[in-house]
Amino acid sequence: MPTDIEIARQATLKPITEVAAKAGVPDEALIPYGKYKAKVDRDALPPASAPGKLILVTAINPTPAGEGKTTTSVGLSDALHRIGKKTLLCLREPSLGPCFGVKGGGAGGGKSQVMPMDEINLHFTGDFHAITSAHNLLSAMIDNHIYWGNSLEIDLRRVTWRRVLDMNDRALRQIVGPLGGVSNGFPRETGFDITVASEIMAILCLASDLDDLQKRLGDIIIGYRRDKSPVFCRDIKADPAMTVLLKDAIQPNLVQTLENNPAFLHGGPFANIAHGCNSVIATKTALVMADYVVTEAGFGADLGAEKFMDIKCRMAGLKPDAIVLVATVRSLKMNGGVPKSELTNGENVEAVRAGAVNLKRHIENVKKFGITPTIAINHFYLDTDAEIAVIKEMAEEFGAEAVICKHWADGGAGAEELAHIVAAKADAGAPDFAPLYPDDMPLADKIETVCREIYRAGSVTISSAVRKQLKQWEEMGYGKFPVCMAKTQYSFSTDPTKLGAPEDHEVTIREVRLSAGAGFVVAIAGDIMTMPGLPKVPSAEAIHLDENGQIEGLF
Amino acid sequence: MPTDIEIARQATLKPITEVAAKAGVPDEALIPYGKYKAKVDRDALPPASAPGKLILVTAINPTPAGEGKTTTSVGLSDALHRIGKKTLLCLREPSLGPCFGVKGGGAGGGKSQVMPMDEINLHFTGDFHAITSAHNLLSAMIDNHIYWGNSLEIDLRRVTWRRVLDMNDRALRQIVGPLGGVSNGFPRETGFDITVASEIMAILCLASDLDDLQKRLGDIIIGYRRDKSPVFCRDIKADPAMTVLLKDAIQPNLVQTLENNPAFLHGGPFANIAHGCNSVIATKTALVMADYVVTEAGFGADLGAEKFMDIKCRMAGLKPDAIVLVATVRSLKMNGGVPKSELTNGENVEAVRAGAVNLKRHIENVKKFGITPTIAINHFYLDTDAEIAVIKEMAEEFGAEAVICKHWADGGAGAEELAHIVAAKADAGAPDFAPLYPDDMPLADKIETVCREIYRAGSVTISSAVRKQLKQWEEMGYGKFPVCMAKTQYSFSTDPTKLGAPEDHEVTIREVRLSAGAGFVVAIAGDIMTMPGLPKVPSAEAIHLDENGQIEGLF
């Protein structure tokens, strides 16, 4: 079977100008970055027509290999093009750092990929570098302010703004500096996160335009005074210069699928301490340019779809017209109790049937937002007809339609049935769509609502210290913010080994963090890692240019 | 008088495709980055014709405001175009970090600028971001190697490879990390430099192609074992992946002057701990595409021109065919004893005459390389005819020709006389060109030669510890390396207040550093700063987008 990179190298890319023309982007709005990437100048686009239909692709709880949300998004988009629908795909940009760790690639797979995958996975159009620069400019200006007299009276122990690099570098997680005496500044404890964990990434992805971006950057809380009053980015006077650094990064990036259909790849916030969706700007730009917009949200539907609707849609005034829930035989087997090492050991209909409780739970959850999802069975060559049949049967039993999709092997042609069904559903729309909770519910209740309604927790433990913190933020005017849950993606519970459809479990909120610029309160219910490390043998050791100058080892 | 940014905004830029056509870059070799920037794919260029003539622009010892080397390079290049000469300009790329400190702009001035200045001064084509990523990948892989067992037995106290950011951030100069216990690694002292100080910047600018780049990256010494034996980048297995990160950065960047003439801006190493010239690749590419190539070297001729010839030309097999030495009335007055605050207080012919000893010394020095420089008097509107006349008279007395240049006010038209003279000199060539010292001179003698011949030191103090270190490097095979001097740019001596033409002064070599990948030994004779700080009121506070989305405050 050919690898992703082999398939990608056999593909013929079209010049980005041709892809742009297909997407309806006029030449004067196209800002090329090399021959196959471009940014789109939104100010130079033709006047908007009626907005298109928004289709969200989400998934059941995945195996560690992932269940193919991106691949299915690409396949569905290509299939919609094949059946004559004017479509735009909106995905996240992958992060550079992790490519040097375990594996690269956030660009789909098989015959459903976005291209050029090497450039997308490396520097791309420089968006993440711009975020790194903007983030670290603020960091430098904070320490510089303290150095020159600290007239804002920032408490050195309470500086919450750290630094970022787009690199898996565990040695930077926790540092002490500046050392070296008077000329370097006042020592304090601090550290680095990976760039995708920066609040600026979340801000860039939620901002509606440059003005809103600057306003949100100004709203960032960089730390606190001794009396615990907050100090804002705008007190440091960094927000306008940060906006200048981000003025190109805010424009959506245009690339193409293997079938030469247009795709926006823009933004890539963490799906735990942030909301895990591509940018609002890309989605909204796509909606005025195409009749159908296919997008995805990170992790399983319990995290990704919930955040898509409760954070992104709520803030941006968006609503999904149809939802696709990706399931695989492999993930259902795992949710049905089969150990990871035995997932490819042949047919196991009973395990699939047992694991379908996970599928059922996700269907129920998505329905709580007023939409019945369509189940996309992302086909793997080892799947048997009997296993597929049981998924279809179970989906129907749970009130949803399931379609087998072979876009990995066959590209858009393998997802045409899905495309027909989803287009019809999107055309019908989702008049009953509503987020899970209203804006004016107290923050603690919002957390509890997600835990009970989506995770099916029997009890939710929020310590009095955390409750006090939430209360304080409500008094400061942050009570209308949605909550952004950080927990494992492998289970509805906070225990990654509790597969299937656990219920009546306990969720403990260990910590809450305020992302005042992004506009949400992060509730942490599990270990979260904001600066990954490299493994013993990092994939970087294998990444190289071959004798033809082609990149090997990145994928 | 209009400001640089006002002049720049009145200019009409041509699409980079038109600029490329003028430079002889065919479409298939053009990799656009937006509408007005591009990289040039050297593999897609037409076969080389006879190489052009190389013209170096250097300067006398400058005032803190600089004497206009870049502006003169731009003006001369535009003037050569005006008199019908096929010319390419080769400059360095400016660094992002310092733009947020005191002033931005490494893009010329007045009517002699390269464009688009805002993009050039911000992320440009991402070269410096790529260098930051490659540098920090190696850093992460070093700590990761130590974390997983340190089989190379790197001495934690002797890791010399630090991290970099393209940001003025004094708080990162000296840090301790990783803290936080077992999962983060082994604490040690380290720190960050600014990206332009990275050895990778020097390597990128001296490499002849991708293979040479990877070889040089592999040659980097990242630290030492307890027995003081060196550990190389290639022992960490980082060099191939670093090369992948730099594969686009190695291609020259094409932009245009205000008069729409082509310019390569590529690479920007420090002029103290590195050699301060644009890339060898850009210069060599320009030489096969144009009949005349105008380039510059950082700081005054005592540092910049010496390094250009002894490091860049020596390594790359280049030689200058003509040299332009920029002088200003202002700098001669300062070298003649006028305090900084009084430099614009009206005519002072005697001070100019007194300061001409500095000009004389530079002329003598340049002649030691076998070339008589042409003096470009970079005209300032306060200069009087009598002041200009005395410079011309003195230059002639010292055996050189001086030409008044008004390219700041008039663009290329203001430098036509210079262009005619320099083109004629370049056509005649420099058959007597030779570097200052041979490859096989011992390292300590090379240092002493530069100090005595160029700086005119009466004594050169090299401690026995430093001599032992140099000896050791010679035994390790680094004896053929040229030396790269790090000292103040304001004086021939190591004391920035000793203006004019000091002699018989003492130079003390405090420290030597080996840049085994770049291929030189740095000899430090003064304070050098590899991570600048921000001032009390950083220019970042004034940088913003105006109501039309134009950048204000950057220049």
Side-chain angles (χ1 to χ4, degrees):
Chain A
M1 204 167 306
T3 64
D4 288 355
I5 183 76
E6 283 163 2
I7 292 170
R9 292 223 169 117
Q10 281 160 18
T12 306
L13 271 69
K14 287 198 176 156
I16 198 66
T17 45
E18 283 185 40
V19 178
K22 188 167 188 176
V25 176
D27 269 2
E28 59 270 23
L30 198 72
I31 308 164
Y33 280 67
K35 295 192 193 303
Y36 305 110
K37 303 170 290 182
K39 282 195 168 276
V40 173
D41 179 358
R42 293 168 304 128
D43 296 333
L45 287 176
S49 52
K53 301 290 184 179
L54 182 57
I55 301 162
L56 172 70
V57 175
T58 183
I60 67 170
N61 290 101
T63 66
E67 299 325 306
K69 280 192 308 288
T70 304
T71 306
T72 302
S73 300
V74 175
L76 172 58
S77 178
D78 282 342
L80 284 162
H81 279 280
R82 289 179 70 91
I83 66 168
K85 306 293 186 186
K86 187 166 188 200
T87 304
L88 253 167
L89 175 63
C90 284
L91 299 175
R92 291 166 290 167
E93 304 174 54
S95 176
L96 175 61
C99 291
F100 300 109
V102 178
K103 59 140 204 164
K111 290 205 169 158
S112 292
Q113 301 185 43
V114 283
M115 304 286 297
M117 67 190 292
D118 51 351
E119 299 185 26
I120 290 169
N121 278 295
L122 290 172
H123 307 293
F124 199 28
T125 59
D127 292 345
F128 289 14
H129 290 318
I131 291 170
T132 303
S133 293
H135 187 116
N136 293 332
L137 173 62
L138 176 54
S139 311
M141 289 177 77
I142 293 167
D143 278 300
N144 192 57
H145 176 88
I146 295 168
Y147 177 87
W148 287 105
N150 195 11
S151 59
L152 290 171
E153 297 181 344
I154 301 165
D155 186 339
L156 262 68
R157 304 162 305 176
R158 293 192 173 97
V159 178
T160 47
W161 193 253
R162 292 156 51 93
R163 286 174 176 81
V164 296
L165 277 184
D166 195 0
M167 193 57 66
N168 286 21
D169 192 348
R170 68 168 72 73
L172 292 175
R173 284 174 190 154
Q174 205 172 325
I175 63 170
V176 165
L179 301 176
V182 171
S183 61
N184 294 351
F186 295 85
R188 58 185 185 82
E189 271 193 72
T190 183
F192 284 70
D193 297 316
I194 191 163
T195 298
V196 287
S198 168
E199 187 177 344
I200 297 176
M201 177 65 85
I203 289 174
L204 187 89
C205 290
L206 289 168
S208 52
D209 55 29
L210 273 174
D211 287 341
D212 185 41
L213 178 81
Q214 182 164 327
K215 193 234 160 234
R216 287 170 181 268
L217 292 172
D219 287 342
I220 290 171
I221 293 173
I222 62 97
Y224 298 85
R225 296 183 184 81
R226 200 173 251 275
D227 66 5
K228 298 189 186 164
S229 62
V231 180
F232 296 93
C233 171
R234 71 170 54 83
D235 298 328
I236 302 290
K237 300 179 186 156
D239 43 323
M242 292 161 73
T243 305
V244 167
L245 281 167
L246 296 167
K247 79 174 178 50
D248 296 325
I250 203 175
Q251 305 277 30
N253 306 298
L254 183 69
V255 290
Q256 63 192 290
T257 67
L258 282 178
E259 300 186 7
N260 308 120
N261 293 315
F264 280 158
L265 262 64
H266 196 220
F270 256 30
N272 50 34
I273 60 155
H275 61 293
C277 308
N278 74 286
S279 77
V280 164
I281 281 178
T283 303
K284 286 196 159 180
T285 305
L287 282 168
V288 301
M289 292 170 64
D291 298 326
Y292 299 86
V293 172
V294 178
T295 191
E296 62 162 344
F299 292 168
D302 52 327
L303 283 161
E306 188 271 315
K307 292 181 186 195
F308 176 83
M309 293 186 272
D310 280 325
I311 299 177
K312 179 172 174 175
C313 288
R314 181 192 303 264
M315 284 194 199
L318 292 168
K319 75 180 193 63
D321 296 291
I323 295 181
V324 172
L325 186 64
V326 180
T328 58
V329 167
R330 184 174 55 177
S331 62
L332 288 174
K333 277 184 187 167
M334 199 177 83
N335 276 292
V338 177
K340 253 181 268 182
S341 56
E342 294 169 25
L343 288 173
T344 51
N345 283 7
E347 183 174 278
N348 189 339
V349 172
E350 281 322 297
V352 173
R353 189 180 299 277
V357 292
N358 188 268
L359 176 63
K360 181 187 180 193
R361 174 71 58 80
H362 284 293
I363 294 172
E364 286 171 4
N365 280 350
V366 171
K367 282 183 175 173
K368 291 189 179 187
F369 294 89
I371 297 174
T372 302
T374 304
I375 315 307
I377 306 168
N378 185 13
H379 185 262
F380 189 59
Y381 75 105
L382 290 175
D383 299 349
T384 68
D385 289 347
E387 288 170 333
I388 298 289
V390 81
I391 301 181
K392 288 194 169 191
E393 175 199 321
M394 300 297 287
E396 200 168 330
E397 190 181 313
F398 306 147
E401 188 170 4
V403 193
I404 187 161
C405 300
K406 297 191 172 178
H407 47 273
W408 191 94
D410 300 331
E416 280 192 28
E417 191 188 348
L418 179 70
H420 279 291
I421 294 169
V422 170
K425 284 203 177 182
D427 290 342
D432 300 330
F433 170 75
L436 195 67
Y437 51 79
D439 288 358
D440 53 10
M441 183 184 272
L443 290 169
D445 293 358
K446 287 174 180 164
I447 293 169
E448 225 173 302
T449 300
V450 176
C451 293
R452 290 189 187 272
E453 295 286 320
I454 303 293
Y455 309 156
R456 315 296 175 98
S459 67
V460 182
T461 306
I462 305 177
S463 69
S464 62
V466 167
R467 283 185 189 277
K468 198 177 141 194
Q469 179 62 270
L470 293 171
K471 207 79 207 161
Q472 203 174 29
W473 288 338
E474 285 165 356
E475 284 158 10
M476 286 163 70
Y478 299 114
K480 287 189 188 301
F481 277 10
V483 295
C484 181
M485 304 300 296
K487 75 158 185 66
T488 176
Q489 62 169 317
Y490 295 113
S491 169
F492 283 103
S493 76
T494 56
D495 176 352
T497 66
K498 280 192 184 159
L499 303 182
E503 52 191 3
D504 293 333
H505 49 87
E506 183 177 339
V507 174
T508 302
I509 304 302
R510 292 186 352 201
E511 182 193 345
V512 284
R513 295 182 194 171
L514 177 60
S515 292
F520 50 68
V521 168
V522 181
I524 297 172
D527 291 325
I528 56 156
M529 170 58 68
T530 53
M531 176 52 102
L534 293 170
K536 184 160 187 179
V537 181
S539 64
E541 290 187 9
I543 294 173
H544 65 281
L545 293 175
D546 69 14
E547 60 278 14
N548 302 315
Q550 284 192 315
I551 298 171
E552 295 290 344
L554 185 57
F555 314 100
Chain B
M1 205 167 306
T3 63
D4 287 356
I5 182 75
E6 283 163 1
I7 293 170
R9 291 224 170 115
Q10 279 159 19
T12 306
L13 271 68
K14 288 197 175 156
I16 197 65
T17 44
E18 284 183 40
V19 178
K22 188 167 189 176
V25 176
D27 269 2
E28 59 271 24
L30 198 71
I31 309 165
Y33 279 67
K35 295 190 193 305
Y36 304 109
K37 302 169 291 181
K39 282 194 168 277
V40 173
D41 178 358
R42 293 167 303 129
D43 296 332
L45 287 176
S49 51
K53 300 290 183 179
L54 182 58
I55 300 162
L56 172 70
V57 176
T58 182
I60 67 169
N61 290 101
T63 66
E67 300 325 305
K69 278 192 310 289
T70 303
T71 305
T72 302
S73 301
V74 175
L76 172 59
S77 179
D78 281 343
L80 284 164
H81 278 281
R82 289 179 71 90
I83 65 168
K85 305 293 187 187
K86 187 166 187 200
T87 304
L88 252 167
L89 175 64
C90 284
L91 299 174
R92 290 167 291 167
E93 305 174 52
S95 175
L96 176 61
C99 291
F100 300 109
V102 178
K103 59 142 204 163
K111 290 204 170 159
S112 292
Q113 300 185 43
V114 283
M115 306 283 299
M117 67 191 292
D118 51 351
E119 298 184 28
I120 290 170
N121 278 295
L122 291 173
H123 308 293
F124 199 29
T125 59
D127 292 345
F128 290 13
H129 291 317
I131 291 170
T132 304
S133 292
H135 186 115
N136 293 332
L137 173 62
L138 176 53
S139 312
M141 288 177 78
I142 293 166
D143 278 301
N144 191 58
H145 175 87
I146 295 168
Y147 177 87
W148 287 106
N150 195 12
S151 59
L152 291 170
E153 297 181 345
I154 301 165
D155 185 340
L156 261 68
R157 303 162 306 176
R158 292 192 173 97
V159 178
T160 48
W161 193 253
R162 292 156 51 92
R163 286 174 176 81
V164 296
L165 277 184
D166 194 359
M167 192 57 66
N168 286 20
D169 192 348
R170 70 168 70 75
L172 292 175
R173 283 175 190 153
Q174 205 172 325
I175 63 170
V176 165
L179 302 176
V182 171
S183 61
N184 294 351
F186 294 86
R188 59 185 185 84
E189 271 193 71
T190 184
F192 283 71
D193 298 316
I194 192 164
T195 299
V196 286
S198 168
E199 187 177 346
I200 297 176
M201 176 66 85
I203 289 173
L204 187 89
C205 289
L206 289 169
S208 53
D209 55 27
L210 273 173
D211 287 341
D212 185 41
L213 178 80
Q214 182 163 327
K215 193 237 162 230
R216 287 169 181 269
L217 292 172
D219 287 342
I220 291 171
I221 293 173
I222 63 97
Y224 298 86
R225 297 184 183 81
R226 199 172 251 275
D227 66 6
K228 298 191 184 161
S229 62
V231 180
F232 296 93
C233 171
R234 72 170 53 84
D235 298 328
I236 302 290
K237 299 178 188 159
D239 43 323
M242 292 161 73
T243 305
V244 167
L245 281 167
L246 295 168
K247 78 174 179 52
D248 297 325
I250 202 173
Q251 305 277 30
N253 306 297
L254 183 71
V255 291
Q256 64 191 290
T257 67
L258 283 176
E259 299 186 6
N260 308 121
N261 292 316
F264 280 158
L265 262 65
H266 195 220
F270 256 29
N272 50 35
I273 59 154
H275 61 293
C277 308
N278 74 286
S279 77
V280 164
I281 281 178
T283 303
K284 287 198 160 179
T285 305
L287 281 168
V288 301
M289 293 170 64
D291 297 325
Y292 299 87
V293 172
V294 177
T295 190
E296 62 162 345
F299 292 168
D302 52 326
L303 283 161
E306 187 271 315
K307 292 181 187 196
F308 176 82
M309 293 186 273
D310 280 325
I311 299 177
K312 180 173 174 174
C313 288
R314 182 192 302 264
M315 283 193 200
L318 291 168
K319 75 180 192 64
D321 296 290
I323 294 181
V324 173
L325 186 64
V326 179
T328 58
V329 167
R330 185 174 54 178
S331 62
L332 287 174
K333 278 184 185 168
M334 199 178 83
N335 275 293
V338 177
K340 252 180 270 181
S341 57
E342 294 170 24
L343 288 174
T344 52
N345 283 6
E347 184 175 276
N348 189 338
V349 172
E350 282 322 299
V352 173
R353 191 180 297 277
V357 292
N358 187 268
L359 175 63
K360 181 187 180 195
R361 175 70 58 80
H362 284 292
I363 294 172
E364 287 172 3
N365 280 351
V366 172
K367 282 183 176 173
K368 292 190 179 188
F369 293 90
I371 297 175
T372 302
T374 304
I375 314 308
I377 306 168
N378 185 13
H379 185 262
F380 189 58
Y381 75 105
L382 290 176
D383 299 349
T384 69
D385 290 346
E387 288 170 333
I388 299 290
V390 80
I391 301 181
K392 288 193 171 193
E393 175 199 321
M394 300 298 286
E396 201 168 330
E397 189 180 314
F398 306 148
E401 187 170 6
V403 193
I404 188 162
C405 301
K406 298 192 172 179
H407 47 272
W408 191 94
D410 300 331
E416 281 191 29
E417 191 188 348
L418 179 70
H420 279 291
I421 293 169
V422 170
K425 285 204 178 182
D427 289 343
D432 301 330
F433 170 76
L436 194 67
Y437 51 80
D439 288 358
D440 53 10
M441 184 184 273
L443 290 169
D445 294 356
K446 287 174 181 166
I447 293 169
E448 231 178 295
T449 301
V450 176
C451 293
R452 290 191 188 271
E453 295 286 321
I454 303 293
Y455 308 157
R456 315 295 175 98
S459 67
V460 182
T461 307
I462 305 178
S463 70
S464 61
V466 167
R467 283 185 191 277
K468 196 176 140 193
Q469 178 63 269
L470 293 171
K471 208 78 206 160
Q472 203 174 30
W473 288 338
E474 285 165 357
E475 284 158 13
M476 286 162 71
Y478 299 115
K480 287 191 188 298
F481 278 10
V483 295
C484 181
M485 305 299 297
K487 74 158 186 64
T488 176
Q489 62 169 316
Y490 295 114
S491 169
F492 283 104
S493 76
T494 57
D495 176 353
T497 66
K498 280 193 186 159
L499 304 182
E503 51 191 4
D504 292 335
H505 49 87
E506 182 177 341
V507 174
T508 302
I509 304 301
R510 293 187 350 201
E511 182 192 345
V512 283
R513 294 182 195 171
L514 177 60
S515 292
F520 51 69
V521 168
V522 182
I524 297 172
D527 291 325
I528 57 156
M529 170 58 67
T530 53
M531 175 52 102
L534 293 170
K536 185 160 186 179
V537 181
S539 65
E541 290 187 9
I543 295 172
H544 65 280
L545 294 175
D546 69 13
E547 60 278 13
N548 303 316
Q550 284 191 316
I551 297 171
E552 295 290 346
L554 185 56
F555 313 100

